[in-house]
Amino acid sequence: MSETRIKIAIQKSGRLTEHSTTLLQKCGLIFSQAKNQLIGYGENMPIDLMFVRDDDIPDLIQENLCSLGIVGKNVALEKKIAMDNSKQGCLFSFEENLNFGQCRLTFAYPESSSYRSIYDLEGKTIATSYPNIVKKFLKEKGLNVYVTQFSGAVELAPSLGKAEAICDLVSTGNTLKVHNLIQGEVVLDSVATVLRSTQVLSDSKEAWIKKLIERINGVIQVSESKYIMMHAPKDSLQKITELLPGTEAPTVLPLEGTNTTVAVHVVCKETVFWETLEGLKKIGASSILVVPLEKMLM
Ligand code: PRT
Ligand code: ZN
């Protein structure tokens, strides 16, 4: 494979896989992947996808084998702390938070125990798959708690007698409940993140990466954004922009046969709730249309 091509590491099979490939497709990337192949060949851009385990993604960028990667902030931060403490230093940066892979890295305590806070754990042990993040957090709090590394099934550690508490990823909280664990302090709010190599790349690679990151940004923005059209009293424009967060200056157009009512068009970059539309109606707006957007380039 030619060195002029950019390699992007994404998860081979897991919670981030479909979202990651869909995101890149929405950025215009067309790729082909032979059955059981771990490489996706970009047909219309000099970009190839490497399908790997999520834990390997920061390493691949650190070692400059891939220039970009999509991975949970939890995995990336765990590696970053290790690299920050190494001779080489961390050779990747966090480029963009995405709108999938949301979860929280959270302490949890056995229901049957008397522990309810990390401050109850002085001299005790916490099991986690994220020892660097947890140790840093505990150090910042000045707490003397042991951390033991588990690579999976962390929620079993207390019942196995391996730890008094755990620190693990939570999304719905069902897993904790099933294992009779009570959720405690949140260490990290995580989402999928774009990582990029901080090593010097050729001008053409830099240009493609810049373009791709801009497109990713556009896709993220557009996923929440809506185009809103309405008729409204001329003197309510100020109130309309106050009700619609994240809007730019509205486009105001005259309406035939009236001097007091105008047509207002705005792009709203945040979720538009029914309550917002009801609020608009209350200040005199009518014929309100909310239309999804497909592409946005700011
Ligand atoms: O095989 P590979 O190593 O690539 O995959 P993996 O099994 O390590 O990762 P995967 O696919 O499970 O998760 C990939 C990423 O998704 C994680 O690194 C997080 O950034 C993000 N993510 C979002 C989650 C969750 N939500 C999540 N709920 N990762 C794991 N979980 C697990 C959690 O560890 C616990 O076991 O789900 C359980 C809790 O879920 P709830 O809904 O019961 O609270
Ligand atoms: Zn993993």
Side-chain angles (χ1 to χ4, degrees):
M1 203 178 301
S2 154
E3 288 224 345
T4 55
R5 295 182 71 81
I6 294 161
K7 296 191 190 83
I8 306 182
I10 62 172
Q11 194 186 23
K12 177 176 59 163
S13 160
R15 291 170 205 261
L16 308 180
T17 308
E18 201 182 325
H19 289 289
S20 304
T21 49
T22 304
L23 171 68
L24 294 169
Q25 282 163 338
K26 283 187 180 168
C27 290
L29 178 68
I30 299 170
F31 69 92
S32 55
Q33 188 185 7
K35 207 166 174 246
N36 299 327
Q37 273 282 345
L38 297 180
I39 298 178
Y41 178 79
E43 292 181 354
N44 58 340
M45 299 182 194
I47 290 175
D48 295 322
L49 304 183
M50 304 289 137
F51 293 92
V52 296
R53 284 201 59 189
D54 68 343
D55 316 75
D56 295 334
I57 293 173
D59 296 285
L60 286 167
I61 303 175
Q62 176 76 20
E63 289 160 26
N64 209 18
L65 298 171
C66 291
S67 304
L68 288 177
I70 298 177
V71 69
K73 202 184 233 178
N74 47 307
V75 171
L77 192 59
E78 179 66 16
K79 184 72 188 176
K80 179 180 163 34
I81 296 171
M83 287 300 111
D84 280 343
N85 295 329
S86 73
K87 213 166 151 194
Q88 191 183 32
C90 182
L91 301 177
F92 57 82
S93 59
F94 293 69
E95 204 58 41
E96 179 98 32
N97 282 341
L98 302 171
N99 55 356
F100 57 87
Q102 290 87 349
C103 56
R104 307 177 297 283
L105 182 63
T106 306
F107 289 105
Y109 310 99
E111 228 167 55
S112 57
S113 74
S114 57
Y115 312 120
R116 290 295 179 265
S117 145
I118 42 167
Y119 294 97
D120 301 331
L121 290 178
E122 192 72 20
K124 302 282 190 285
T125 303
I126 291 180
T128 185
S129 305
Y130 300 91
N132 291 324
I133 299 178
V134 175
K135 280 182 194 165
K136 188 164 183 253
F137 183 88
L138 294 169
K139 195 173 168 199
E140 281 165 10
K141 303 265 175 215
L143 286 164
N144 179 29
V145 181
Y146 301 103
V147 174
T148 182
Q149 184 166 4
F150 260 58
S151 48
V154 181
E155 50 291 325
L156 294 180
S159 45
L160 289 172
K162 291 276 189 189
E164 275 78 22
I166 67 163
C167 189
D168 197 14
L169 298 177
V170 174
S171 62
T172 61
N174 286 340
T175 307
L176 292 186
K177 259 187 220 147
V178 167
H179 292 88
N180 301 314
L181 294 161
I182 295 178
Q183 198 174 314
E185 300 90 336
V186 174
V187 178
L188 174 75
D189 279 306
S190 186
V191 278
T193 309
V194 177
L195 296 188
R196 67 156 292 172
S197 163
T198 52
Q199 306 202 30
V200 178
L201 303 171
S202 68
D203 288 352
S204 76
K205 276 191 177 183
E206 279 293 346
W208 269 105
I209 287 178
K210 185 166 178 277
K211 189 187 290 202
L212 191 65
I213 288 174
E214 258 174 29
R215 289 189 185 182
I216 289 175
N217 194 279
V219 172
I220 300 302
Q221 292 219 18
V222 97
S223 67
E224 290 279 290
S225 301
K226 295 282 181 287
Y227 193 76
I228 306 174
M229 294 174 269
M230 71 195 97
H231 292 175
K234 225 178 189 172
D235 57 10
S236 63
L237 290 176
Q238 172 74 27
K239 283 186 189 152
I240 290 174
T241 32
E242 280 168 18
L243 272 173
L244 294 169
T247 51
E248 303 232 310
T251 305
V252 180
L253 304 161
L255 278 176
E256 191 63 30
T258 166
N259 283 328
T260 52
T261 306
V262 286
V264 183
H265 292 197
V266 300
V267 172
C268 181
K269 291 195 198 137
E270 292 179 23
T271 311
V272 180
F273 297 104
W274 278 108
E275 288 77 6
T276 312
L277 302 187
E278 285 153 6
L280 289 170
K281 207 172 162 200
K282 233 183 209 164
I283 57 169
S286 60
S287 306
I288 308 167
L289 292 180
V290 180
V291 184
L293 294 177
E294 194 184 295
K295 288 192 177 66
M296 189 190 280
L297 198 60
M298 303 303 285

